[in-house]
């Protein structure tokens, strides 16, 4: 969670709750968010919205929209898949009197009008709502650093996280394309896009589950257990797994050069904080562009917080804009208010209405209250502001 005061620029919230704990008890996140809103006089909140919900206040969102933004099969829901934590939190926010009128749910890349329809063909995840937040932060930082209007910003924003790698193209301050999650090249844990023949072979001997999408990535070419081995060791090893991760991220970037002419590439996510990673990625990108492009800047996306992630600060930037603050022009340029549709709108290889019906039930909403975990971190100041 991250928030800042529009008038003083003071950071008023900079906090992190372990993901596993949020999955187990989203109510703890809700209670902490309510405390911050009361103590700091927060005006507007933007809440992480999974695969995306067209921009609207929480009270206006339907259960079906929440279900589709966190879509999961009944079988995976019965197993308690981690995405249910976010589903429960969104439902709680929608029903919470203190938050439902000041909190916005937000779109994923596939729901933005700035992305041409032909680029959305058979795509669900072109970038989740969190990735849109990181892109918003990158646009704001680049415009401020080079004294540009938002309309003059052209970027590629890459997030290399623990599970997936994603990349988004920004042209004239607008998101125009994206390759993310299971639609991009392999990430650290996730396999990314899968050969259709592999999917066919597996589906004929086993049910394909959500958990399978979080496996088979670059980490599985390395030595040791990816859940216990520090990612710093993975990077310093320089083995095949690390080379696969770097090359995959570089391919994601280069695949987007048909969609924008970037002034820079901004890198966020868990691996961007590992020494040497951004430099290695920059060398891979520029090596691949040799003779076609000269010196494309590849830099880490900087944040104002000490604890919160880039996406959290980007969400606060959007919240500020929605509240009429200094970033209101950025929200207008990104055309977030014009977002629309369902994540299945551009599926052509199967009946999209059948998909909507299959995944529109809000299963697994049964939270239990607990205390904050020992791994909880916080750092914040005071004053009015915006919060994610």
């Amino acid at each position: 969670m991250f928030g800042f005061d529009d008038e003083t620029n003071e950071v008023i919230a900079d906090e992190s709750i372990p993901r596993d704990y949020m999955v187990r008890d989203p109510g703890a996140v809700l209670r902490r968010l309510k405390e911050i809103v009361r103590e700091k006089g927060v005006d507007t909140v933007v809440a992480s919205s999974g695969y995306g919900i067209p921009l609207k206040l929480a009270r206006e969102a339907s259960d079906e929209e929440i279900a589709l933004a966190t879509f999961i099969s009944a079988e995976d829901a019965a197993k308690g898949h981690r995405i249910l934590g976010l589903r429960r939190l969104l439902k709680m926010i929608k029903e919470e009197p203190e938050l439902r009128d000041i909190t916005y749910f937000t779109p994923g890349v596939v729901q933005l009008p700035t992305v041409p329809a032909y680029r959305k063909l058979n795509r669900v995840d072109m970038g989740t709502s969190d990735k849109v937040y990181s892109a918003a932060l990158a646009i704001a930082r680049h415009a401020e650093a080079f004294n540009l209007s938002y309309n003059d910003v052209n970027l590629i924003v890459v997030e290399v996280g623990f599970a997936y790698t994603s990349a988004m193209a920004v042209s004239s301050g607008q998101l125009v394309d994206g390759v993310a999650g299971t639609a991009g090249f392999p990430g650290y844990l996730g396999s990314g896009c899968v050969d259709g023949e592999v999917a066919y072979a597996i589906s004929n001997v086993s049910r394909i589950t959500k958990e399978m999408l979080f496996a088979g990535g670059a980490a599985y070419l390395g030595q040791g257990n990816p859940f216990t081995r520090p990612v710093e060791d993975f990077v310093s090893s320089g083995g095949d797994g690390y080379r696969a991760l770097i090359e995959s991220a570089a391919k994601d970037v280069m695949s987007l050069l048909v969609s924008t002419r970037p002034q820079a590439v901004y890198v966020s996510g868990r691996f961007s904080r590992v020494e040497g990673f951004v430099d290695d990625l920059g060398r891979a990108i520029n090596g691949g562009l040799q003779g076609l492009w000269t010196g494309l800047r590849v830099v880490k996306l900087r944040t104002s917080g000490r604890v919160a992630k880039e996406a959290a600060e980007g969400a606060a930037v959007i919240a500020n804009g929605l509240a009429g603050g200094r970033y209101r022009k950025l929200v207008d340029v990104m055309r977030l208010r014009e977002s629309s549709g369902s994540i299945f709108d551009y599926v052509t290889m199967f009946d999209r209405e059948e998909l909507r019906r299959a995944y529109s039930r809000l299963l697994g909403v049964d939270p239990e209250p607990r205390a904050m975990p020992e791994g909880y971190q916080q750092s914040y100041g005071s004053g009015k502001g915006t919060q994610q």
Side-chain angles (χ1 to χ4, degrees):
M1 291 186 277
F2 186 89
F4 65 92
D5 187 294
D6 184 60
E7 296 179 358
T8 66
N9 205 35
E10 181 182 12
V11 173
I12 62 166
D14 180 12
E15 310 190 3
S16 175
I17 299 173
R19 180 185 295 274
D20 288 345
Y21 186 80
M22 192 280 285
V23 170
R24 293 197 308 272
D25 181 26
V29 181
L30 186 83
R31 293 190 293 275
R32 181 59 192 140
L33 182 55
K34 287 166 60 178
E35 289 173 359
I36 295 170
V37 167
R38 291 176 197 147
E39 293 170 6
K40 308 301 178 183
V42 172
D43 301 312
T44 305
V45 177
V46 159
S48 178
S49 307
Y51 296 107
I53 296 173
L55 184 71
K56 61 186 61 180
L57 285 168
R59 60 177 166 80
E60 299 170 345
S62 68
D63 283 356
E64 179 178 341
E65 286 177 313
I66 294 173
L68 290 174
T70 56
F71 89 94
I72 190 173
S73 70
E75 291 87 349
D76 282 342
K79 292 179 180 178
H81 189 275
R82 69 193 75 182
I83 202 170
L84 292 178
L86 176 60
R87 173 175 289 185
R88 292 166 183 157
L89 180 59
L90 294 176
K91 178 70 169 174
M92 289 176 181
I93 291 173
K94 174 189 171 180
E95 295 175 345
E96 173 52 56
E98 292 184 53
L99 297 175
R100 64 198 308 265
D101 295 321
I102 65 169
T103 301
Y104 285 88
F105 294 161
T106 58
V109 174
V110 77
Q111 292 162 320
L112 295 176
T114 52
V115 181
Y118 60 83
R119 289 180 181 155
K120 300 178 181 181
L121 189 64
N122 289 308
R123 290 289 181 266
V124 168
D125 183 8
M126 299 182 72
T128 60
S129 58
D130 283 8
K131 305 306 183 290
V132 175
Y133 306 153
S134 296
L137 181 63
I139 295 167
R141 290 288 177 268
H142 192 79
E144 291 161 358
F146 295 94
N147 195 28
L148 299 172
S149 69
Y150 299 129
N151 298 99
D152 293 328
V153 172
N154 303 305
L155 303 171
I156 291 177
V157 185
V158 185
E159 181 166 304
V160 186
F162 191 74
Y164 296 123
T165 295
S166 67
M168 293 160 291
V170 175
S171 181
S172 300
Q174 300 176 334
L175 280 162
V176 296
D177 203 355
V179 287
T182 55
F185 288 95
Y188 181 62
L189 287 184
S191 61
C193 55
V194 176
D195 185 331
E197 301 296 351
V198 173
Y200 173 78
I202 293 173
S203 69
N204 278 280
V205 296
S206 173
R207 190 176 68 86
I208 295 180
T209 67
K210 205 80 162 178
E211 284 301 324
M212 287 183 180
L213 306 183
F214 288 85
Y220 294 85
L221 288 176
Q223 304 250 338
N225 185 338
F227 296 98
T228 58
R229 182 188 187 188
V231 295
E232 290 79 7
D233 289 352
F234 177 80
V235 171
S236 63
S237 73
D240 283 349
Y242 182 57
R243 285 189 285 272
L245 184 65
I246 286 288
E247 185 173 290
S248 293
K251 287 177 178 177
D252 282 332
V253 169
M254 287 187 273
S255 72
L256 293 175
L257 294 177
V258 298
S259 302
T260 188
R261 183 83 176 173
Q263 296 145 342
V265 174
Y266 283 86
V267 187
S268 67
R270 175 68 182 86
F271 279 87
S272 72
R273 297 185 283 277
V274 178
E275 184 178 357
F277 180 83
V278 174
D279 290 340
D280 287 346
L281 180 57
R283 281 189 287 271
I285 292 170
N286 281 293
L289 295 175
Q290 193 169 10
L292 302 173
W293 205 295
T294 303
L296 180 58
R297 294 179 64 248
V298 180
V299 296
K300 186 185 184 315
L301 178 57
R302 300 293 175 184
T303 61
S304 303
R306 295 192 296 269
V307 176
K309 296 178 181 179
E310 300 91 341
E313 186 167 349
V317 165
I318 290 174
N320 173 276
L322 292 171
R326 76 181 73 166
Y327 293 111
R328 59 188 179 277
K329 178 66 173 174
L330 175 58
V331 170
D332 290 342
V333 169
M334 293 182 72
R335 296 174 62 187
L336 298 180
R337 292 186 179 89
E338 299 173 52
S339 56
S340 63
S342 152
I343 58 172
F344 294 126
D345 281 357
Y346 298 92
V347 173
T348 61
M349 61 189 296
F350 194 83
D351 186 339
R352 69 193 71 164
E353 291 303 324
E354 186 173 342
L355 290 175
R356 286 195 193 101
R357 287 192 298 270
Y359 294 106
S360 61
R361 292 177 56 212
L362 199 60
L363 304 171
V365 182
D366 54 353
E368 292 290 338
R370 293 179 180 85
M372 279 292 183
E374 292 183 3
Y376 170 70
Q377 294 178 285
Q378 65 174 329
S379 171
Y380 58 89
S382 61
K384 278 194 172 184
T386 55
Q387 173 75 31
Q388 188 262 347

